Amino acid sequence: MGKLLLSLALLAVSLPAAAGWVVGDARPDAPALAARGAYPVGVRTESLVHRDQFDILRATAANPAPRYDRALTVEVWYPARLAAGEREAVVYTDVLGAGANNPARPNTPFTFAGRAARGAAAVTGAFPLLIVSHGYPGSRLQMSYLTENLASKGYVVVAIDHLESTRADKAGFASTLLNRPLDDQFVLDTVAGWSLPGSGHFLAGAVDAGKTALIGYSMGGYGALVAAGAAADPLALKPLGLADTSAFVARAPDPRIRAVVAFAPWGGARPLWSSASLAKLRAPLLFVAGEQDKIAGYEDGVLRLAQEAVNAPRYLLAYQNARHNVSPNPPPAASYANSEDFSAYAEAAWDSARINNINQHVVTAFLEHTLRQRDMGHYLSPGSALAPARIGPGLAWRHWPAALEKPD
């Protein structure tokens, strides 16, 4: 009985107390740009198949190049036109755990509320595209506080469930290493096709895929950086157990990728990238990290990435005393039954809803600046009174302009 009362007490002080609060809502202390935008938000689920891909997890000496079809579920949030009586009220279903058949962390379904209208009609308009990639393991719903918020501000947001990398189907790490940038590119190409007049898709005429940003958390951040032009070093991949790294080849970045938001990107501390590889990045970069991150690393990890991507404009928001979980939604109530599930969402020294609001503010300023070319200097300049470092204690904000260089 004592344990039950303690659990209920912890739940009461950890979840927001305001009646009707939903993940992503702005608290009274939220910075200005955390507020939702002017558009109602619609949401739909789409099932995609990336056919005839290299199946790295089943490659053997006898069969070195097996192929398979990659099934990808994506969640799409978009500016919507609501019909009479239609409301922005949705229930999302996700799972806890760390892969199938894990007795320590079994896949446990849970639901949570969001502010979007399931199946609503899309508003026609050239809205920039945001592609969101979760951690390992994670899910497409892991950052709904941000995806809904950005859709309300006039973006089409597509979040991917990466096959073999979700909480429901976690498999070998090699699949995540290989497929993250490939999945991002496939989704970009797919949505660009949807956007064409006459495509028959509900997003026809609603998306400008020529203005795309990649948003990734942890391994999603890794994949976004690779897709944007920073190829991983084959020598650094070998210690990860990959006997053959020939599939990890440098690719010219898609010119439609205009910006990258990397939350706690994994790989800098390995290091998976050489300075020369990081110097190939050109798109503006926003890094968000915890200064006590032991998974991605901070000084030898995320900070190093920001410092060595010298040919891109870079911003870095650092949460002091935070670890790796500077990106997800707050811990769902169902996670309170398992300390490892809870710790996959929570930050010990920070309130997750507070982090969410700060992220909404900073990502909004960065995307408005990079994708819409709006002057957001009063929010992004480190010396400004409205810069993130002035939001409150515990935040550090840095900016590096792109270096002048000779053309390639």
Side-chain angles (χ1 to χ4, degrees):
M1 186 65 171
K3 288 185 177 179
L4 175 61
L5 291 175
L6 177 59
S7 297
L8 292 173
L10 288 173
L11 184 64
V13 299
S14 300
L15 294 179
W21 184 90
V22 169
V23 169
D25 283 356
R27 303 188 337 172
D29 61 349
L33 299 182
R36 297 222 350 165
Y39 290 99
V41 175
V43 63
R44 301 194 190 196
T45 306
E46 299 271 354
S47 297
L48 312 180
V49 179
H50 197 189
R51 300 198 181 278
D52 194 32
Q53 297 302 294
F54 173 47
D55 189 351
I56 193 171
L57 296 183
R58 291 161 187 83
T60 64
N63 184 17
R67 314 294 291 183
Y68 73 145
D69 294 342
R70 283 182 60 78
L72 303 175
T73 301
V74 299
E75 204 77 4
V76 185
W77 292 268
Y78 51 91
R81 183 176 64 255
L82 301 186
E86 205 167 17
R87 296 173 51 245
E88 292 176 279
V90 66
V91 175
Y92 300 114
T93 300
D94 204 348
V95 297
L96 298 171
N101 304 314
N102 183 335
R105 293 177 63 186
N107 284 152
T108 306
F110 69 94
T111 60
F112 66 99
R115 297 199 186 281
R118 176 69 68 181
V123 174
T124 301
F127 297 112
L129 171 63
L130 311 178
I131 297 173
V132 179
S133 179
H134 58 72
Y136 173 77
S139 88
R140 69 189 189 277
L141 303 173
Q142 191 172 33
M143 293 180 278
S144 66
Y145 75 92
L146 185 61
T147 55
E148 288 185 354
N149 184 277
L150 293 171
S152 78
K153 294 167 179 172
Y155 296 91
V156 171
V157 187
V158 181
I160 308 169
D161 260 2
H162 295 277
L163 183 68
E164 299 159 341
S165 196
T166 72
R167 298 198 189 282
D169 71 354
K170 177 185 175 185
F173 191 49
S175 172
T176 292
L177 281 169
L178 174 64
N179 286 301
R180 285 309 180 92
L182 303 180
D183 289 350
D184 288 351
Q185 185 66 55
F186 171 67
V187 169
L188 172 50
D189 293 338
T190 299
V191 178
W194 290 347
S195 73
L196 297 176
S199 71
H201 195 270
F202 82 93
L203 287 179
V207 191
D208 181 1
K211 295 179 179 177
T212 294
L214 305 181
I215 301 176
Y217 168 44
S218 193
M219 290 309 299
Y222 150 86
L225 293 173
V226 174
D233 183 350
L235 292 177
L237 291 168
K238 293 240 181 227
L240 298 174
L242 302 175
D244 181 2
T245 60
S246 60
F248 295 82
V249 297
R251 300 173 181 85
D254 191 315
R256 295 172 295 184
I257 299 173
R258 303 288 188 89
V260 172
V261 179
F263 288 97
W266 184 88
R270 283 290 175 167
L272 284 189
W273 295 283
S274 66
S275 297
S277 181
L278 292 169
K280 293 185 180 298
L281 291 166
R282 297 292 190 277
L285 307 170
L286 170 61
F287 294 93
V288 181
E291 290 187 353
Q292 302 300 319
D293 191 333
K294 305 304 181 187
I295 296 175
Y298 180 68
E299 290 189 0
D300 61 344
V302 182
L303 178 59
R304 176 198 160 238
L305 297 178
Q307 291 174 327
E308 295 187 10
V310 294
N311 293 314
R314 293 143 287 150
Y315 298 88
L316 171 60
L317 174 65
Y319 288 90
Q320 298 167 7
N321 298 315
R323 298 180 181 176
H324 191 61
N325 295 334
V326 293
S327 178
N329 289 344
S335 72
Y336 282 68
N338 185 304
S339 61
E340 290 190 54
D341 284 335
F342 180 83
S343 65
Y345 286 84
E347 276 294 336
W350 281 84
D351 182 283
S352 294
R354 171 68 169 158
I355 290 178
N356 290 173
N357 285 166
I358 295 170
N359 288 346
Q360 290 164 334
H361 172 88
V362 174
V363 172
T364 297
F366 175 74
L367 294 177
E368 291 293 301
H369 179 68
T370 55
L371 296 187
R372 291 194 167 118
Q373 286 76 53
R374 292 179 176 167
D375 182 7
M376 305 299 288
H378 48 301
Y379 293 111
L380 297 175
S381 172
S384 169
L386 297 176
R390 307 292 183 90
I391 290 173
L395 297 171
W397 178 245
R398 302 176 71 173
H399 171 240
W400 298 264
L404 297 175
E405 63 165 5
K406 295 180 181 179
D408 291 336

